[in-house]
Amino acid sequence: MIAVRRRLVAVFFMLLCSRLWADEGSAWVERYTQAMKAQDSAALAELIANQATVVVTLTLGPQEAPMVVTLTRAEYLQQQKALWRFAAGQTIVISDVQQTVGDEGLSLSLHQKEAYQLFGQTFQQESDIVLTLQRFQGRYQVAHIRTRSRQW
C-alpha cells in the first residue's frame, strides 16, 4: 500500500512539473514572439542567458554548402539589432511550437518564417529553431539556440 502511494505521489509530481514546464514554455514563446514582432532588443536580451550559445546553420541557395556559425549572446543580439535597424517591411510568423522536457531543461522547437527588404533586395528566410531553456537567477532563459535556416 505504501509503495502504491509513493508511486501515485511520484506520478502526480511528474505531471505537475510537466504542466509547470509547459506553462513556462508557452509564456516564453509568447514573450519571444512579441519581442521579435516589436523589434524590441531589450525584451529579446531578457530572454537569453548571458552565457548562451547560438549555433546557426545557414543555407543561401540550393547549390551552396551550408555555413555553420557559432555566436555568443552578444553577437547574436547585435546581428538581430542590425537587421532590425537596416531592414524594412519585416514580417515574422512563428508556428509548429513543440515542447519537451529533458535532462538539460525545457526544449522548445519552432518554425519561423521571415520576410524583409535589405539594401533594396527582398529576402525570405525559414528557420527551424531549437531552444533550450534553463533556470538562471530565478527565471527561465535560453541557454542554447540551434537554428537551421534557409534564405533566398
Side-chain angles (χ1 to χ4, degrees):
M1 186 64 141
I2 292 175
V4 171
R5 282 187 188 161
R6 285 184 183 160
R7 195 170 290 157
L8 286 173
V9 169
V11 168
F12 176 75
F13 183 72
M14 272 184 24
L15 290 172
L16 179 63
C17 288
S18 294
R19 183 70 214 155
L20 291 173
W21 273 111
D23 290 347
E24 185 60 40
S26 296
W28 191 95
V29 169
E30 183 61 32
R31 290 190 305 270
Y32 173 77
T33 301
Q34 289 174 354
M36 294 297 284
K37 287 184 176 182
Q39 299 183 357
D40 187 339
S41 298
L44 184 61
E46 282 293 315
L47 297 172
I48 303 171
N50 288 336
Q51 63 273 29
T53 57
V54 182
V55 178
V56 179
T57 302
L58 179 63
T59 303
L60 296 174
Q63 304 301 322
E64 295 186 38
M67 294 185 301
V68 178
V69 179
T70 301
L71 303 170
T72 64
R73 173 186 183 264
E75 291 167 333
Y76 171 76
L77 292 170
Q78 184 61 38
Q79 291 293 319
Q80 193 62 56
K81 194 175 187 179
L83 176 63
W84 288 338
R85 177 165 181 173
F86 296 109
Q90 185 178 26
T91 60
I92 185 168
V93 176
I94 295 172
S95 62
D96 302 331
V97 178
Q98 297 183 16
Q99 304 179 45
T100 55
V101 178
D103 293 339
E104 291 188 16
L106 177 65
S107 178
L108 299 172
S109 62
L110 56 93
H111 186 77
Q112 181 172 301
K113 289 184 180 180
E114 294 177 78
Y116 54 89
Q117 293 180 353
L118 184 63
F119 304 121
Q121 286 189 288
T122 299
F123 292 92
Q124 303 280 329
Q125 182 169 309
E126 288 193 23
S127 302
D128 290 312
I129 303 171
V130 177
L131 307 140
T132 303
L133 273 62
Q134 295 177 346
R135 195 166 179 86
F136 295 100
Q137 299 174 348
R139 65 179 189 252
Y140 290 98
Q141 293 180 302
V142 172
H144 307 286
I145 301 173
R146 290 185 319 272
T147 180
R148 296 187 64 82
S149 299
R150 182 174 65 91
Q151 189 176 68
W152 66 97

